[in-house]
Amino acid sequence: MTPAPNTQNANLKRVLFVVSAADHWTLKDGARHPSGYWGEELATPHKIFSGAGWEITLATPGGKAPTLDRLSMNWTAGSFSKRHEIADYLLSIKPQLDHPRSLDTVNPDDYDLVFYPGGHGPMEDLAYDEVSGALLTRRLESGRPLALLCHAPAASLAAKNLDGSWPFRGYRMTGLSNTEERLNTFGWKAKWFLEDRLREEGADYVKGAIPLLPFVVVDRNLYTGQNPASSEQLAKRLVADLG
């Protein structure tokens, strides 16, 4: 089990990674496309935060070990050396990945940062998860840093204020664009596109001028990154702002 946060060192930064427990993404034709978390989106920020000396806790719905999306390890995800580096890093944190905490046992107030990596997994589970939704609502209201990467803003769709309104309404934010989603051959079969849903709910959605390049948006305590390529830039911005 991942240990509870160390409360003895007040100067230590603590990060909660909330990771999808889904191992597939259900398409509009009913097909279950194998999925999970995107390797770069978990490994790169985790490595940067660890390098800054931060303490990291992983949590998933039900404490289920998350599934790596194998597509995030193929040639479309970058050079061989880059993918090899990501794979090696994920292997180095395998004990943590294999034994995450259950999301319903963590208190977001214990952490300096709450971070959601993406992959299509969040569109399958976290977008509908009431525990995650309540955590996001509470975190956004707290004014303390919250970061959502690529498809992870889908998790925000489960957040609700007491009056039923969407807490993220009016926030400037990004996430994987419709154009980028359609670059996946199976993406055309999606039940819904993230960009569309964020706009429909009332987000001030913005995206980079060129697809697949790093693009990070900060509005108040909300940090969002558009795509996997934004992983490093987003993590480094968080280290700079929190450090």
Side-chain angles (χ1 to χ4, degrees), residues 133-225:
L135 185 153
L136 287 168
T137 301
R138 179 174 175 179
R139 186 67 182 192
L140 194 67
E141 174 65 23
S142 75
R144 303 180 71 197
L146 167 65
L148 307 168
L149 178 58
C150 195
H151 284 98
S156 72
L157 300 174
K160 294 289 184 291
N161 290 318
L162 290 176
D163 62 3
S165 61
W166 192 49
F168 292 82
R169 184 176 182 83
Y171 274 79
R172 190 169 184 265
M173 62 192 299
T174 191
L176 198 80
S177 68
N178 290 355
T179 299
E180 291 167 322
E181 191 68 88
R182 291 188 177 102
L183 293 176
N184 297 311
T185 55
F186 55 89
W188 289 82
K189 299 180 181 180
K191 292 180 179 179
W192 45 272
F193 288 140
L194 178 60
E195 176 183 339
D196 290 342
R197 286 296 303 277
L198 294 176
R199 291 184 187 278
E200 289 166 5
E201 293 295 326
D204 179 11
Y205 176 88
V206 292
K207 57 187 174 183
I210 303 175
L212 303 180
L213 292 184
F215 186 71
V216 171
V217 175
V218 182
D219 185 356
R220 290 160 276 184
N221 62 318
L222 178 64
Y223 293 71
T224 50

Side-chain angles (χ1 to χ4, degrees), residues 3 10 12 20 23 37 55 58 67 70-72 78 85 117 121 123 148 160 163-164 167 189 202 210 215 221:
L12 179 68
S20 168
D23 60 7
Y37 70 87
E55 181 182 274
L58 263 63
T67 299
R70 299 311 307 178
L71 283 180
S72 70
E85 181 181 347
M123 296 182 75
L148 307 168
K160 294 289 184 291
D163 62 3
K189 299 180 181 180
I210 303 175
F215 186 71
N221 62 318

Side-chain angles (χ1 to χ4, degrees), residues 20-25 35-38 69 118-127 151 154:
S20 168
D23 60 7
H24 68 276
W25 180 35
S35 189
Y37 70 87
W38 199 258
D69 188 330
H120 283 110
M123 296 182 75
E124 183 71 23
D125 61 355
L126 295 177
H151 284 98

Side-chain angles (χ1 to χ4, degrees), residues 34-111:
S35 189
Y37 70 87
W38 199 258
E40 180 180 4
E41 296 175 33
L42 193 152
T44 297
H46 193 291
K47 184 176 184 179
I48 290 171
F49 299 154
S50 294
W54 295 4
E55 181 182 274
I56 299 172
T57 297
L58 263 63
T60 66
K64 179 182 176 182
T67 299
L68 172 65
D69 188 330
R70 299 311 307 178
L71 283 180
S72 70
M73 292 290 104
N74 76 5
W75 65 271
T76 62
S79 67
F80 175 80
S81 60
K82 177 181 177 181
R83 287 179 281 130
H84 187 71
E85 181 181 347
I86 290 170
D88 282 350
Y89 189 78
L90 291 174
L91 183 61
S92 76
I93 61 170
K94 189 175 186 298
Q96 192 176 37
L97 288 167
D98 287 347
H99 302 284
R101 291 187 62 182
S102 181
L103 190 55
D104 59 3
T105 69
V106 298
N107 180 356
D109 296 339
D110 290 337
Y111 300 90

